[in-house]
Amino acid sequence: ARFETCWPALMKDSHGVIIVFNPELPSHLKEIEMWYSCFVQQQPLLDSQCLLVAHHKPGSAGDTEDLSLAYPLNKLKLIHSNLEEDPEDVRMEFIKYFKSIISIINESREREEMSIIS
């Protein structure tokens, strides 16, 4: 939270938010609610513009795969990343996410152009 003064600059014109957290730290689970509130809800961005990444460190317990997050975080796309075991899965999920962001940007640009024309 030291950098809160920089947040408006970080948020300006952003099209997506990726929140990476350690699912084994209870403090992180509280913090992601704050990040979601500040960076997604207050902007406002659509939930589909936010991606949660539960990152598992090498050799971690890994029994957090069935992570159940409380509302409103449970509406968001959640992926588990474990770069030792399945880096390819994570890469594919990121590509899917970026494609969805690009289509949201294109749709809003088309809407703007149509509103200018009409």
Side-chain angles (χ1 to χ4, degrees):
R2 283 189 302 244
F3 305 110
E4 273 181 56
T5 49
C6 309
W7 289 1
L10 285 173
M11 291 191 250
K12 188 181 179 322
D13 300 331
S14 66
H15 296 291
V17 174
I18 297 174
I19 300 173
V20 182
F21 65 100
N22 181 342
E24 290 166 39
L25 292 181
S27 62
H28 274 206
L29 299 179
K30 290 284 348 137
E31 279 176 35
I32 55 177
E33 290 177 24
M34 185 229 9
W35 291 107
Y36 171 74
S37 165
C38 293
F39 281 84
V40 181
Q41 290 178 312
Q42 289 174 30
Q43 285 222 71
L45 290 176
L46 302 169
D47 284 342
S48 57
Q49 287 168 278
C50 182
L51 177 66
L52 291 181
V53 181
H55 184 64
H56 300 270
K57 290 184 170 161
S60 64
D63 55 0
T64 45
E65 287 281 337
D66 56 354
L67 190 64
S68 57
L69 297 171
Y71 181 86
L73 297 173
N74 60 4
K75 302 182 300 179
L76 304 174
K77 171 86 174 147
L78 168 68
I79 66 170
H80 290 270
S81 76
N82 182 329
L83 300 180
E84 273 191 325
E85 287 173 24
D86 50 11
E88 192 54 31
D89 279 7
V90 176
R91 204 172 73 88
M92 293 312 295
E93 289 292 349
F94 269 101
I95 290 170
K96 259 193 282 189
Y97 170 70
F98 288 125
K99 282 182 175 169
S100 73
I101 295 294
I102 290 165
S103 67
I104 289 169
I105 295 168
N106 288 339
E107 280 166 26
S108 70
R109 192 173 290 148
E110 281 167 22
R111 272 199 304 275
E112 277 172 32
E113 287 168 2
M114 291 310 289
S115 68
I116 293 166
I117 292 166
S118 57

